[in-house]
Amino acid sequence: MISFPTILLRLGVALVLGAVVGFERESREHAAGMRTVALVALGSCLFTLVSAFGFLEFLNTPHIQVDPTRIASYVVAGIGFLGAGSIFFSREKERVKGLTTAATIWLIAAIGMACGAGLLLIAVVTTILALFVLIALRFVERILLPRQSAALQHLHIETVSLESHLIGQVYETLAQAGITPETLEIRTEEQKTLTVLCRIPETTTVAQIISELQALPEVRA
């Protein structure tokens, strides 16, 4: 059995590493923040400690088999339920969100387990690599995939009529601003509305686009 100060060291390192990664998620306003990720790391570390050292007294007991990795292996399966809770489909942006956060929870559980097993250096190095992926690769992704940096938005336009020339004017206004329309939805209920799903680059001012669309003759709001 390892000493109590060693246990505290492993738990403390897991807590700190989880908090560091969680702070990055918190700063990006994701579902799993600093406290959640820190608790996942701390809990995974404790489960690993219990699994490895909590049942040593039964090792020499006849007819009893003790697997020191059994509890830790269930952490890998169980953490998937928590990660799945952070994944959702955004109807506004027409995409699945939370996959990176779910992967982060899965990875931080592995980091916590490494701390519990005494692999502190490996846990620290993995945390640094995780921060590199979450922070540095985000900028690389924006450079290599500039289309992905354009945010998908819904533009809801209330109109007096839905004539073809109005739709053409809307498309022309968006094209002049460098906005790429994705889909078009027309509703002819009590209020005639035109909904355009489009990619708006980060360099484009949304307020300016709204004012230009509102200046069209048959646009009410």
Side-chain angles (χ1 to χ4, degrees):
M1 182 66 180
I2 59 177
S3 62
F4 183 68
T6 304
I7 294 177
L8 287 181
L9 174 63
R10 296 182 183 184
L11 291 173
V13 172
L15 179 63
V16 171
L17 296 181
V20 169
V21 177
F23 177 78
E24 189 279 336
R25 294 285 86 189
E26 187 91 34
S27 63
R28 302 289 299 174
E29 297 183 355
H30 288 279
M34 184 166 61
R35 291 182 298 172
T36 302
V37 177
L39 287 174
V40 170
L42 184 63
S44 300
C45 179
L46 181 58
F47 273 122
T48 304
L49 287 169
V50 172
S51 181
F53 306 107
F55 305 96
L56 293 180
E57 59 181 297
F58 299 104
L59 286 178
N60 298 324
T61 303
H63 309 296
I64 293 181
Q65 294 181 349
V66 178
D67 183 4
T69 65
R70 186 171 182 178
I71 295 180
S73 65
Y74 281 105
V75 173
V76 179
I79 202 66
F81 291 98
L82 184 59
S86 63
I87 301 175
F88 64 95
F89 179 75
S90 175
R91 295 182 60 88
E92 188 68 20
K93 296 183 180 297
E94 297 291 336
R95 61 184 298 185
V96 177
K97 296 181 66 65
L99 289 173
T100 303
T101 300
T104 302
I105 294 175
W106 175 72
L107 176 63
I108 207 65
I111 292 174
M113 293 174 66
C115 292
L119 306 175
L120 300 182
L121 181 58
I122 294 178
V124 172
V125 172
T126 304
T127 302
I128 295 174
L129 292 176
L131 292 174
F132 173 78
V133 171
L134 292 172
I135 299 175
L137 290 190
R138 186 188 308 127
F139 298 101
V140 176
E141 190 178 48
R142 289 179 179 178
I143 296 174
L144 298 179
L145 302 171
R147 182 178 175 83
Q148 298 299 325
S149 63
L152 273 173
Q153 301 288 347
H154 281 88
L155 294 178
H156 302 279
I157 306 170
E158 293 183 10
T159 64
V160 177
S161 65
L162 291 171
E163 301 295 336
S164 58
H165 69 274
L166 174 63
I167 299 176
Q169 290 175 342
V170 171
Y171 266 71
E172 183 179 354
T173 302
L174 295 176
Q176 290 177 353
I179 296 176
T180 305
E182 297 282 335
T183 62
L184 176 67
E185 180 182 351
I186 298 176
R187 294 184 179 180
T188 57
E189 299 172 353
E190 295 181 1
Q191 291 183 341
K192 298 180 176 63
T193 59
L194 180 68
T195 302
V196 183
L197 177 66
C198 56
R199 292 187 178 272
I200 301 181
E202 296 180 349
T203 55
T204 304
T205 304
V206 179
Q208 178 183 353
I209 300 303
I210 293 176
S211 62
E212 291 179 2
L213 290 174
Q214 206 163 14
L216 296 177
E218 298 180 7
V219 172
R220 297 175 55 189

